[in-house]
Amino acid sequence: AEGGGELVVRELDLASLRSVRAFCHRVLQEEPRLDVLINNAGIFQCPYMKTEDGFEMQFGVNHLGHFLLTNLLLGLLKNSAPSRIVVVSSKLYKYGEINFEDLNSEISYNKSFCYSRSKLANILFARELARRLEGTGVTVNSLHPGIVRTNLGRYVNIPLLAKPLFNLVSWAFFKTPLEGAQTSIYLASSPDVEGVSGKYFGDCKEEELLPKAMDDLVARKLWDISEVMVGLLK
C-alpha cells in the first residue's frame, strides 16, 4: 500500500558476539539507511549463566551485546543522519554499582544486583556515546519503560499460592506492552526531541538521574573496558 512499510525479521542473539557481528554484517549489506536504532532486548534476574563468549548473562546481553551492536552500526547511523539511538534501561539502575573488579561476577553473583548494574551500564553507555557523537547528527537517549506486563520476569520465582494475587496486581497496575513502548516510540520519532541527546526519559518526559549515572569518568572507563571485552580493541 502507498505509504506502507515493510517488516523484515532477522536473527540476532545478543548472548553471542558472533551472532551480533553476523547480524550487523547483513544489515550493512542490505540496508542503505538506518534512521533509528532501539536497544530494547534484555534478560532479568536469571540464575547465574554465561553467554557464548563467557560473560555473565545479564551484563553480557543487556550491556555488552548492545554495545557491540551499536558500535558496528555507527557508520550507517552517521551516514543516515539525522538519526537516533534509543537505549532502554530501567528505574532499577538506582540499585546497581559498576564494580570494575568483578564485572563478570566471578567473585560473587546476586541476580538482582547484576540486573541493576547492567541497567546502570546502559545509561552510562548512552551518555558516553552521546558525548562521542556530538556534532554528527546522531542523538542518543535512554529511558525507563515502567513496569510492563511481559514475560521478562519469567525467572522470578513467585510462590504458587501468591500467583493469583500477583496476576491480579499485574493486570491492575502494570503497563501493557503498548503502553510500555510509548517512551521508546516518543524518543524514536517525536519532533519534540529532535537534537536532544544524552538525556534520560520516563513517560515521555525528561527525568533526573542519580549522580552515579552521570559519572563521566566511570562512563569512559566502562567504555574502554567494554571495547576490549567485545573485541573492538585488542
Side-chain angles (χ1 to χ4, degrees), residues 174-194:
F174 290 11
K175 293 181 178 180
T176 66
L178 180 59
E179 291 168 340
Q182 290 309 300
T183 305
S184 294
I185 295 169
Y186 173 76
L187 290 175
S189 61
S190 175
D192 294 346
V193 288
E194 184 176 349

Side-chain angles (χ1 to χ4, degrees), residues 167-179:
N167 291 335
L168 181 64
V169 170
S170 69
W171 279 104
F173 297 106
F174 290 11
K175 293 181 178 180
T176 66
L178 180 59
E179 291 168 340

Side-chain angles (χ1 to χ4, degrees), residues 68-191:
L68 178 61
L69 174 77
T70 306
N71 272 282
L72 292 179
L73 296 176
L74 272 185
L76 186 56
L77 283 157
K78 290 177 181 177
N79 291 337
S80 306
S83 54
R84 304 182 184 189
I85 300 170
V86 179
V87 179
V88 180
S89 182
S90 165
K91 273 189 175 181
L92 293 177
Y93 87 86
K94 297 176 181 180
Y95 305 102
E97 300 290 342
I98 304 297
N99 178 7
F100 289 110
E101 302 303 316
D102 192 27
L103 278 180
N104 209 37
S105 300
E106 301 283 358
I107 299 173
S108 65
Y109 179 72
N110 177 289
K111 63 183 182 180
S112 298
F113 167 80
C114 286
Y115 177 76
S116 295
R117 177 168 63 190
S118 73
K119 295 289 101 179
L120 175 58
N122 287 158
I123 296 171
L124 292 168
F125 163 60
R127 285 176 55 83
E128 175 62 12
L129 182 58
R131 186 188 69 81
R132 291 170 180 252
L133 290 175
E134 286 179 5
T136 65
V138 184
T139 60
V140 192
N141 291 291
S142 59
L143 69 108
H144 74 81
I147 304 176
V148 186
R149 199 161 57 243
T150 69
N151 70 343
L152 184 67
R154 62 191 178 276
Y155 290 110
V156 177
N157 184 28
I158 299 171
L160 187 62
L161 292 176
K163 282 190 176 180
L165 178 60
F166 176 81
N167 291 335
L168 181 64
V169 170
S170 69
W171 279 104
F173 297 106
F174 290 11
K175 293 181 178 180
T176 66
L178 180 59
E179 291 168 340
Q182 290 309 300
T183 305
S184 294
I185 295 169
Y186 173 76
L187 290 175
S189 61
S190 175

